[in-house]
Amino acid sequence: MKVPFQSLQRELEPLAEELKQALNAVIDSGFFIRGSEARAFEKEFASFCGVTDAVGCGNGLDALQLILRGLGIGPGDEVIVPAHTFIATWLAVSHCGATPVPVDCLEETGNINPEAIAPAISPRTRAIIAVHLYGQPARMDAIADVARSHKLKLIEDAAQAHGATCQGNPVGSLGDAAAFSFYPAKNLGALGDAGAVTSNDKTLLEAVRTLGNYGSRQKYQHDVQGINSRLDELQAAALRVKLRHLESQNRRRQAIAAYYLDALNSTPVQLPTVVPGMEPVWHQFVVRCQQRDALQSHLRDGGIETLIHYPVACHQSAAYVSSMPDSHFPVAEKLAAEVLSLPISHALTDSEVMQVADTVKGFFR
Ligand SMILES: *Cc1c(COP(=O)(O)O)cnc(C)c1O
């Protein structure tokens, strides 16, 4: 039996009627940009994240970039980023003209090492971006302490963690602002590209909205040199439907993770560690193995599709290596060589999940 890594077709099938109705209503309305669906989704998503408001935008990269620009961060400024993340975290900093300053990660979670942040701070540092990688919140208490004592802004990259909590508080509400991606494969995914910014800071949200709408608050009045990055009505309507199902889907992912953690406990693979006080939503279930490539081919031979998040550390990617040729982040580099993501879609069947665990066990027999 073949086990897909993630079948969006299968995930969407039970929601198809609800989605089609919502999309048809938008088509009938004749409004596609800056209408009532986007505003309704912003309010619903803000409430889900425990913040006062949200602003929709085109994707997760733009959400990060709009926050940075909204905070006035640009050329000459430095922003602390984790060495091990999806490259968008770094690109957002580069695209607003600032410099990403990487900090190494914790091997157990892949999240930024809070103790490594202070040594990377310079007089030019303006902000820290904490990524909740694979769906588990970063150590926000410790990171917030560093941010506070150095008067830095704290930005969450919550693109992989819709619905995760840290000490009972939802991600999206744990810093000065948070960026979300609704790329179709994320825990909360649109039917195309979409993103959002959440915050309790009304002034910042207003700046983000203006920057994402050509720098305009009033039609044809342009206050700043903004971009075009808006949440469209069709995506917002789909997201409103999908938000209603997110909690139960996250619970299913948590049940699959619990099964893997138990079933694979006796094998030599390094299992993901859950930090006390964190409730992850398991965007990915990432194991570590020194024979990663051999394990991946063994799983492939057993019909199981896996992925690697991510095979090249950002500082060693062609996009960045020339600007930091002598940089080394040993944990990030080790993770790039050893991580393997097992299927954890909420739409997997119990027997598929068992097949994944049994096949991993078989590799070591
Ligand atoms: C997906 C992702 C992004 C970028 O989101 P897009 O919507 O693809 O632009 C940013 N950061 C992280 C950690 C992500 O996983």
Side-chain angles (χ1 to χ4, degrees):
M1 200 168 69
K2 285 234 183 291
V3 181
F5 185 76
Q6 181 180 30
S7 163
L8 291 181
Q9 237 175 344
R10 202 204 285 189
E11 289 185 4
L12 289 173
E13 206 264 334
L15 309 183
E17 279 317 306
E18 248 182 296
L19 284 169
K20 284 174 188 168
Q21 264 182 24
L23 297 179
N24 280 333
V26 173
I27 295 168
D28 293 343
S29 81
F31 283 97
F32 299 100
I33 299 283
R34 282 166 74 83
S36 59
E37 289 295 320
R39 190 65 192 121
F41 172 72
E42 287 171 346
K43 289 186 177 150
E44 288 160 9
F45 191 64
S47 145
F48 178 79
C49 295
V51 290
T52 52
D53 211 348
V55 174
C57 63
N59 55 65
L61 172 61
D62 284 354
L64 282 166
Q65 209 176 310
L66 289 167
I67 294 170
L68 291 164
R69 284 194 64 188
L71 291 169
I73 294 169
D77 295 330
E78 293 178 355
V79 177
I80 304 280
V81 294
H84 181 65
T85 180
F86 180 57
I87 199 163
T89 316
W90 289 40
L91 291 175
V93 178
S94 302
H95 289 332
C96 74
T99 304
V101 175
V103 162
D104 213 351
C105 302
L106 296 164
E107 198 170 320
E108 305 74 49
T109 59
N111 276 330
I112 194 165
N113 180 353
E115 288 174 13
I117 296 175
I121 293 172
S122 85
R124 292 167 177 267
T125 311
R126 295 282 315 278
I128 302 169
I129 304 182
V131 181
H132 307 309
L133 201 69
Y134 307 144
Q136 172 159 221
R139 291 268 175 93
M140 292 306 282
D141 290 3
I143 300 167
D145 283 345
V146 184
R148 209 174 302 116
S149 65
H150 291 84
K151 298 197 164 52
L152 305 177
K153 294 292 182 186
L154 177 51
I155 300 163
E156 295 173 80
D157 180 342
Q160 303 192 355
H162 323 72
T165 63
C166 171
Q167 256 87 44
N169 300 308
V171 307
S173 70
L174 307 172
D176 292 292
F180 285 88
S181 163
F182 307 119
Y183 177 76
K186 308 282 175 165
N187 289 44
L188 178 59
L191 305 177
D193 277 316
V197 172
T198 60
S199 179
N200 288 313
D201 181 341
K202 219 175 161 213
T203 312
L204 175 61
L205 288 170
E206 181 70 29
V208 164
R209 194 182 293 284
T210 304
L211 282 164
N213 187 40
Y214 297 114
S216 171
R217 250 177 299 197
Q218 224 184 319
K219 209 163 190 170
Y220 306 126
Q221 308 274 328
H222 300 277
D223 311 330
V224 283
Q225 295 176 4
I227 60 173
N228 174 6
S229 184
R230 302 173 297 213
L231 175 63
D232 72 67
E233 291 289 286
L234 285 167
Q235 296 307 336
L239 285 165
R240 292 185 72 195
V241 169
K242 293 195 72 191
L243 181 58
R244 296 199 281 270
H245 299 272
L246 178 61
E247 273 175 289
S248 72
Q249 293 170 352
N250 279 343
R251 272 198 293 278
R252 171 69 182 154
R253 284 175 184 264
Q254 288 165 343
I256 297 171
Y259 180 85
Y260 283 153
L261 287 171
D262 182 56
L264 301 177
N265 190 30
S266 53
T267 67
V269 289
Q270 301 284 308
L271 294 169
T273 303
V274 177
V275 176
M278 304 296 180
E279 194 179 53
V281 290
W282 302 101
H283 177 57
Q284 305 297 356
F285 189 92
V286 177
V287 300
R288 284 171 288 136
C289 178
Q290 281 181 9
Q291 312 153 70
R292 189 261 315 273
D293 295 346
L295 174 59
Q296 185 173 39
S297 4
H298 173 83
L299 287 164
R300 192 183 300 120
D301 294 343
I304 292 155
E305 197 183 349
T306 59
L307 292 177
I308 295 169
H309 299 99
Y310 300 91
V312 181
C314 297
H315 65 284
Q316 295 184 323
S317 69
Y320 283 99
V321 74
S322 59
S323 62
M324 44 181 82
D326 303 319
S327 287
H328 281 293
F329 301 97
V331 179
E333 289 164 30
K334 186 171 189 302
L335 289 174
E338 295 185 357
V339 290
L340 185 67
S341 305
L342 304 181
I344 193 159
S345 161
H346 64 264
L348 292 175
T349 64
D350 287 348
S351 64
E352 286 173 324
V353 174
M354 285 193 282
Q355 185 186 336
V356 173
D358 288 344
T359 314
V360 172
K361 286 193 222 167
F363 178 71
F364 296 101
R365 269 199 290 270

